[in-house]
Every structure is written in C-alpha cells, then in structure tokens.
Amino acid sequence: MSRIYQVKENELYLVGKAMASPLRINILKLLEHHPLNINQIAEHLDIPQSSCVFHIKILEKAKLIETEILSAAKGTQKICHLAYDEIVFPLRSKKNFTDDNIMISDIPVGMYSNYSIQPPCGILSETGAIGFIDQEDSFDDPLRSSAGLLWFTRGFCEYRFPDTRIFPGRKIRSIAVSMELCSEFPGHNNNWLSDITLWFNEFEVGTWRSPSDCGGEYGTLTPRWWSIDNTQFGFLKSWKITRSGSFIDEERVSDICLADLDLERADYSTIRIGIKDDAEYQGGINLFGRGFGNHAQDIRFTIEFQ
C-alpha cells in the first residue's frame, strides 16, 4: 500500500530544498529497497560519513525519511527508513472561500491517503483504465491522481482534508462531505442495494442505502468510450455533522456531533467511505469525480463557521 505525503504550502520550501540535490535523491532511491544505516549509505554513494550525516538531516527535516537509533557492536547506529512512497505538491490551492463564513475544498477521488479494497474493482481516468481492471494493486498506480471513477466491492478509501485549526478563534457550525456515488454490480444493475458508510476521524457518522448501480443511459459527463452497459452515474449525497448530530441530506442519521470529532488532535482530518463488514447489503461502491457521472465535482469538504 502506498504511503503518500500530501505536502502543505508551508512545507513546500523544505521539501523542495531536500529534492533539489541529486545526491539526496540518490539517498531516497537507495532506501526504496530496505533501511540502511549512515555507514552503509556513505559506502554505497562513496561519500564521507560527515557529508552523509549532513544530507540525512535535511531529508529528516523535510519528513522524507525517518530515522531510529539502534544498538550496534560498538555503540549505536542510526537507521534510515523511507517515510513515503509518493509526494504530492499543491501547485495551486484547492480551497475556495465562497464567503467569509464558508470554506470549500475539493479533492480528486483518486487522491486517497489509505485504502483497503476487494475486487471486483477498478479505477478510470477520462481517457482509459488506470492499471488493470479487478487488480487491487492498480489502486497504487501513480496515475490514480487523474482518476474520475473508481469502484470496489468491499473495503474503503480514506482521504485527508484541511487542518481546521488554521482558523483560530473561529467557531465551526458544521462540516459537510458531499460526493456522487452508487452501488457496484458487474456491468450495472438498476435494482442493487448497498449500504455505504462514512467515517470522520474514525467516528462512524452514518450509512446511506444506495438503491442501484446506475447504467443503461449515459451519464452527463461520462466519456462515451465507457460502455453504456457499465456504471454511468450516481447520486449526489451529503453527510453533514453539526453541533447537535449528523445528517444525510438533512435527515438525521446519528448522534455524532462536532464535539465528538476531536478536531484538535492532528494536523489533518480524515474521511473514510466504504462498506462495513457487517453491512446488511454489501453491494459495493462506485465513486465519481470530475469527468464522470452527472455532477462536475470531486469529493467536496465544506466547513461552515459561526
């Protein structure tokens, strides 16, 4: 499973500096295969140990490698591990402040930070399949950032969203997550139920029962090369968490409220969308982004302030 570093704007300088050296890039490539200590890295690259220590510190500061001190035959040794498999740079902000009291942030459906899925599964861009249909490791393909449609039968995909602490002193009235989605059946099946659940920071917010895997007519945005016999579009659904409880399209579904979410605990928030192991209808999920379905949006995260 890929470990992804979604670089924040205030981290761009450190990461850019770390990646600006061919020698440091070679160190990262060495660590792709297995962890190494300082002496081993210096020997592989034929550089002085002091130079190696200098470059390792820069990579550590940029969070590109992790280190640990272990016992050695004579004293201790510093072991270096590769921290991430992929790095994502924000070349332009996804944030769009529609007014002073609302923040909207979109993330592409393929930019999950974690996943665990079971086939049948697949992932598509607007021009074709990414990797191979029904192979789980296609979800690790670097091209997944261009995905406009993904599907799986069991499991989940998890996404990271902005740190709500960047608005000190602002009281949050509600947090909403909206996306276009539906059930998953080979080809399509307009009478196929699936219980799809959303979690926020590991708290189960609520479950929506999808009535069908929609096909038989083209989605407004779906490319015409994607057969009409396959899934074409879904339903635009919104999970909303307020101070008093949680709602799906304004219908109350649970007592989970903002106070439960522990928004101060980490540098980011996570939402997970998937099928519970004990769901009554385990009918899979199709998740649509821009370029597929009937709605021109990715996964949308909206914070409303008091």
Side-chain angles (χ1 to χ4, degrees), residues 145-159:
S145 60
S146 64
L149 173 62
L150 62 83
W151 67 93
F152 52 88
T153 304
R154 302 280 179 86
F156 66 86
C157 281
E158 186 174 272
Y159 300 83

Side-chain angles (χ1 to χ4, degrees), residues 47-280:
I47 59 173
Q49 187 182 51
S50 57
S51 297
C52 187
V53 169
F54 170 78
H55 290 291
I56 290 296
K57 286 182 178 179
I58 292 175
L59 291 170
E60 265 190 294
K61 193 171 183 179
K63 302 180 183 178
L64 299 180
I65 66 169
E66 297 171 343
T67 60
E68 59 179 331
I69 305 298
L70 298 179
S71 299
K74 296 181 179 179
T76 60
Q77 58 178 336
K78 191 171 192 175
I79 305 297
C80 305
H81 304 257
L82 195 64
Y84 298 96
D85 303 306
E86 299 179 42
I87 303 173
V88 179
F89 288 88
L91 296 181
R92 64 180 180 180
S93 176
K94 292 281 187 181
K95 297 174 185 176
N96 174 31
F97 289 83
T98 56
D99 61 40
D100 289 340
N101 292 321
I102 297 177
M103 188 205 81
I104 298 174
S105 181
D106 282 3
I107 188 168
V109 296
M111 290 308 299
Y112 36 82
S113 57
N114 190 16
Y115 76 91
S116 176
I117 56 103
Q118 294 181 22
C121 61
I123 184 166
L124 304 179
S125 72
E126 292 184 42
T127 58
I130 296 173
F132 297 94
I133 302 297
D134 292 338
Q135 289 194 12
E136 297 169 56
D137 57 7
S138 293
F139 276 61
D140 284 329
D141 194 304
L143 295 177
R144 64 189 178 79
S145 60
S146 64
L149 173 62
L150 62 83
W151 67 93
F152 52 88
T153 304
R154 302 280 179 86
F156 66 86
C157 281
E158 186 174 272
Y159 300 83
R160 291 182 179 180
F161 282 92
D163 181 1
T164 58
R165 295 175 302 175
I166 63 175
F167 306 100
R170 305 288 309 270
K171 289 187 177 180
I172 296 175
R173 173 178 289 172
S174 67
I175 294 176
V177 181
S178 67
M179 65 196 84
E180 184 176 355
L181 70 174
C182 70
S183 313
E184 161 55 19
F185 184 88
H188 77 277
N189 186 331
N190 289 324
N191 186 26
W192 186 253
L193 303 180
S194 186
D195 291 335
I196 299 173
T197 300
L198 182 132
W199 294 260
F200 192 106
N201 287 352
E202 299 181 8
F203 291 92
E204 183 179 325
V205 175
T207 298
W208 168 66
R209 179 163 293 173
S210 171
S212 68
D213 178 359
C214 308
E217 60 180 279
Y218 283 113
T220 304
L221 304 172
T222 302
R224 293 305 186 256
W225 60 262
W226 186 235
S227 171
I228 198 170
D229 293 327
N230 293 322
T231 306
Q232 289 290 319
F233 56 89
F235 305 87
L236 188 62
K237 308 302 294 184
S238 176
W239 282 257
K240 188 174 185 178
I241 308 161
T242 72
R243 296 178 183 180
S244 62
S246 294
F247 303 79
I248 298 178
D249 294 343
E250 306 306 324
E251 181 181 345
R252 188 182 183 94
V253 291
S254 78
D255 293 330
I256 294 295
C257 60
L258 290 173
D260 297 319
L261 299 183
D262 199 14
L263 294 173
E264 301 297 324
R265 70 173 186 163
D267 294 335
Y268 54 85
S269 294
T270 62
I271 66 109
R272 176 179 290 187
I273 190 76
I275 311 297
K276 293 169 59 176
D277 290 338
D278 61 352
E280 182 177 354

